[in-house]
Amino acid sequence: MGEFELIRHYFAAASCARAGDGVALGIGDDCALLALAPGEQMAVSTDTLVAGVHFPQGADPLLLGQRALAVAASDLAAMGASPLGFTLALTLPSFSAQWLQGFATGLDAMAERCGLRLVGGDTTRGPLSLTLTVFGHLPHGLALTRSGARPGDLLCVGGRLGDAAGALPLVLGQRHAEPAVAGPLLAHYWSPLPQFALGQALRGRASAALDISDGLLADCGHIARASKVALRVERERLPVSNALQSLLGLEQAWSAALSGGDDYVLAFTLPPEEETTLRAQGAVFFVIGQASVGEGVTLVDRHGQDITPTIRGYQHFAETP
Amino acid sequence: MGEFELIRHYFAAASCARAGDGVALGIGDDCALLALAPGEQMAVSTDTLVAGVHFPQGADPLLLGQRALAVAASDLAAMGASPLGFTLALTLPSFSAQWLQGFATGLDAMAERCGLRLVGGDTTRGPLSLTLTVFGHLPHGLALTRSGARPGDLLCVGGRLGDAAGALPLVLGQRHAEPAVAGPLLAHYWSPLPQFALGQALRGRASAALDISDGLLADCGHIARASKVALRVERERLPVSNALQSLLGLEQAWSAALSGGDDYVLAFTLPPEEETTLRAQGAVFFVIGQASVGEGVTLVDRHGQDITPTIRGYQHFAETP
């Protein structure tokens, strides 16, 4: 048995690889078999992370395993889907039991947290990269797309913004901060939590949704374009963490919140009459602006003054000029 | 819009990316949405191809696009699934319109041939590699697994063996052959045809099946282990092409048929009483041996003499010692 076949057996033994609801056949045959309840659809998304582009070459494998699955699973949450399973395509330059142990532990922890099962994959030799394809299920016709926002809808986000962008210089070792500041930021970067509960609560209520991966302004641009509306973001309403403010100051924290990527919290539009119902269900979210007739994304200050910056969305760190 | 966003738009415009049966929502949102008919299951498989490991660095992008999808889709055929769709995760070192044009053309041609739709993906910068995740559908309980072979079943293959292994030195430029010989071998290597029709005909008839990717003996070993039977392969019954015999001679052609990888034809076990029915349906296949009580894979000559070689399965070419 070759090393790479050993790796396959290794993942097959992980606790997230056990069979369960919706997984009729898991790892070990030519295909996995997935089942849906009557009236359901399957949501599918694929994400690739490349060493040196999406994470540092020497990244801790446990943190990488956690983050890779969270990043991919966040797309399911953004669609309003319930978690089902995932496949892992892992390309490794060499065999390291220690690396694999760490990676599988992190992957398993996030899989457990998200309720996702490992159903198949491929392991090959080559430059370090990962491709995860995630599967979710949801009732027919209730998926949250980007295209349903209407003038008058509230623009909302499901959590604080900018922490991952604030963490990046710490991840890259370009900057240091005291543990009380660095801790929460690094936790958010390495272990974002896909907002499955919020996404499911938004089914049939939100008019459009996505997860923030490119940066708030860039991602709001996706909703505005797909929905053919204008979106106005009010800067003073942006939720930013105390840790981020301590690290960067308020002005720069806003900047990270607007243009930093990798937050993986949901952004969505909500007809105003849905706000009370949603909060009564226990959903936690922040209203940061509104949709109107028109196009594009505008940033305003507390006086309503247009202060739209010419900041582009986040570029993966190796691509940053 | 960055180069890599352009690439996404480029694939979104490919003809295989149009919506259709089973694809409720294709490229462009956080997830694709796939639907199943009542009583159906979804078959899922993931394959990664890395430049320098699974194909030469300078491979023709059109041929690569064809082959990458065919290799992945073959796992669906082996399960007896009908084709539905696929996601493409493409990692590229740099942007080349010419390369992308060729690759998309090859991918599109194979997608058309297989009846698969591009439903999503990811495009990133990094060392050239591809991960395809393919989706098929089939009636609940009719999937062809590796574990159902019974003593007395016939061992069969769905086509000629060894052509891809024979083609490899031609692909790598280590050997040359006249067009009448090189042509069919290279065609089989670069454009294997997933045996969807055969796989679907085997539903409810074959007791076990897989597609030959590691080499006949190695893959028969997978069936023998999963089914807890012994499998006997009769060397003189191995179907080998005239082109392969011309290139290698009969002895070496058998060797390529037994141990060469990348054939992507189906190997399956069939209760003897099913053979006539299956042939009457127009299925073309070759009986090459039989299952019996025991374990392991044995190769015999025409006198029934055990001539089992100590040949291992195919290793990807960069891993070959």
Side-chain angles (χ1 to χ4, degrees):
Chain A
M1 190 182 293
E3 283 175 346
F4 280 73
E5 196 168 346
L6 275 173
I7 295 174
R8 286 186 275 272
H9 284 263
Y10 191 89
F11 282 110
S15 77
C16 62
R18 69 194 184 284
D21 285 354
V23 182
L25 184 68
I27 288 179
D29 217 300
D30 293 296
C31 294
L33 295 174
L34 306 179
L36 292 174
E40 284 197 324
Q41 291 180 317
M42 178 115 32
V44 175
S45 178
T46 292
D47 275 288
T48 297
L49 300 180
V50 179
V53 180
H54 304 89
F55 58 90
Q57 284 281 358
D60 180 313
L62 187 147
L63 297 176
L64 179 61
Q66 279 191 353
R67 180 163 189 271
L69 183 55
V71 165
S74 182
D75 284 313
L76 295 177
M79 215 73 185
S82 300
L84 179 49
F86 67 104
T87 60
L88 167 69
L90 178 60
T91 301
L92 286 173
S94 60
F95 179 87
S96 157
Q98 196 186 347
W99 193 94
L100 283 162
Q101 175 67 52
F103 181 79
T105 302
L107 191 78
D108 218 20
M110 186 56 73
E112 191 70 35
R113 205 154 176 175
C114 290
L116 285 164
R117 288 162 199 283
L118 179 62
V119 302
D122 196 7
T123 312
T124 54
R125 191 186 294 274
L128 179 60
S129 79
L130 308 135
T131 295
L132 288 105
T133 303
V134 292
F135 309 102
H137 59 103
L138 77 173
H140 181 89
L142 288 187
L144 305 169
T145 68
R146 301 173 173 192
S147 57
R150 295 291 165 262
D153 287 351
L154 305 174
L155 176 63
C156 311
V157 293
R160 293 190 170 74
L161 303 173
D163 281 0
L168 194 56
L170 307 175
V171 169
L172 295 175
Q174 294 165 348
R175 185 166 178 169
H176 293 276
E178 53 180 316
V181 169
L185 299 181
L186 288 171
H188 191 86
Y189 182 87
W190 283 116
S191 191
L193 286 182
Q195 300 195 294
F196 278 108
L198 178 59
Q200 289 163 42
L202 294 177
R203 286 181 192 163
R205 301 199 182 284
S207 50
L210 48 61
D211 65 320
I212 301 174
S213 56
D214 295 338
L216 178 68
L217 291 181
D219 285 315
C220 283
H222 297 320
I223 292 179
R225 259 193 307 281
S227 297
K228 298 186 175 64
V229 295
L231 289 174
R232 195 188 61 213
V233 176
E234 299 175 43
R235 185 181 59 179
E236 272 77 2
R237 289 183 168 221
L238 292 173
V240 290
S241 70
N242 291 336
L244 190 66
Q245 284 190 60
S246 299
L247 186 74
L248 301 179
L250 186 57
E251 286 281 336
Q252 284 301 307
W254 279 336
S255 196
L258 290 165
S259 304
D262 288 343
D263 281 321
Y264 301 107
V265 302
L266 302 190
F268 55 97
T269 54
L270 192 68
E273 63 274 21
E274 299 285 356
E275 184 181 357
T276 313
T277 320
L278 199 56
R279 293 207 190 273
Q281 289 178 351
V284 174
F285 59 95
F286 305 89
V287 177
I288 61 163
Q290 200 154 23
S292 61
V293 174
E295 61 182 22
V297 180
T298 311
L299 181 69
V300 299
D301 68 12
R302 86 184 100 172
H303 309 297
Q305 189 81 33
D306 186 343
I307 51 166
T308 309
T310 54
I311 299 173
R312 298 166 60 203
Y314 176 72
Q315 298 282 309
H316 301 307
F317 66 77
E319 297 174 33
T320 308
Chain B
M1 194 182 290
E3 283 176 346
F4 281 73
E5 196 168 346
L6 275 173
I7 295 174
R8 285 186 276 272
H9 285 264
Y10 191 87
F11 282 110
S15 76
C16 62
R18 67 194 185 283
D21 285 353
V23 182
L25 184 67
I27 289 179
D29 217 299
D30 293 296
C31 294
L33 294 175
L34 305 179
L36 291 174
E40 284 197 326
Q41 291 180 317
M42 178 116 31
V44 175
S45 179
T46 292
D47 276 289
T48 297
L49 300 180
V50 179
V53 180
H54 304 90
F55 59 90
Q57 285 281 359
D60 181 312
L62 187 147
L63 297 176
L64 179 61
Q66 280 191 352
R67 181 162 189 269
L69 184 55
V71 165
S74 182
D75 284 313
L76 295 177
M79 214 75 185
S82 301
L84 179 49
F86 67 104
T87 60
L88 167 68
L90 178 60
T91 301
L92 286 173
S94 60
F95 178 88
S96 158
Q98 196 186 348
W99 193 95
L100 283 162
Q101 176 67 51
F103 181 80
T105 301
L107 191 78
D108 219 21
M110 186 55 73
E112 191 71 36
R113 206 153 177 176
C114 291
L116 285 164
R117 288 161 200 285
L118 179 63
V119 300
D122 196 6
T123 313
T124 53
R125 190 185 296 274
L128 179 59
S129 79
L130 310 134
T131 295
L132 288 105
T133 303
V134 292
F135 309 102
H137 60 102
L138 78 173
H140 180 91
L142 288 188
L144 306 169
T145 67
R146 301 174 172 192
S147 57
R150 295 289 166 264
D153 287 352
L154 304 173
L155 176 63
C156 312
V157 294
R160 294 190 169 75
L161 303 174
D163 280 0
L168 194 56
L170 307 175
V171 169
L172 296 174
Q174 294 165 347
R175 185 166 178 169
H176 292 276
E178 53 180 317
V181 168
L185 299 181
L186 288 171
H188 191 86
Y189 182 88
W190 283 117
S191 192
L193 286 182
Q195 301 195 293
F196 278 108
L198 177 59
Q200 289 164 39
L202 294 178
R203 286 180 193 163
R205 301 199 182 282
S207 50
L210 48 61
D211 65 321
I212 300 174
S213 56
D214 296 338
L216 177 69
L217 292 181
D219 284 316
C220 283
H222 297 320
I223 291 180
R225 259 193 308 280
S227 297
K228 299 187 174 63
V229 296
L231 289 175
R232 196 188 61 213
V233 175
E234 298 174 43
R235 186 182 58 179
E236 272 78 2
R237 289 183 168 221
L238 293 173
V240 291
S241 70
N242 291 336
L244 189 66
Q245 284 190 60
S246 300
L247 186 74
L248 300 180
L250 186 56
E251 285 281 337
Q252 284 300 308
W254 279 336
S255 195
L258 290 165
S259 304
D262 288 343
D263 281 321
Y264 302 108
V265 303
L266 302 191
F268 56 96
T269 55
L270 192 67
E273 64 274 20
E274 299 286 357
E275 184 181 357
T276 313
T277 319
L278 200 56
R279 293 208 191 274
Q281 289 178 352
V284 175
F285 59 95
F286 305 88
V287 178
I288 61 163
Q290 198 154 24
S292 60
V293 175
E295 62 182 19
V297 180
T298 310
L299 181 69
V300 299
D301 67 12
R302 86 184 98 171
H303 308 297
Q305 190 80 31
D306 184 343
I307 50 167
T308 310
T310 55
I311 300 173
R312 298 168 59 204
Y314 175 73
Q315 300 281 309
H316 300 307
F317 67 77
E319 298 174 34
T320 308

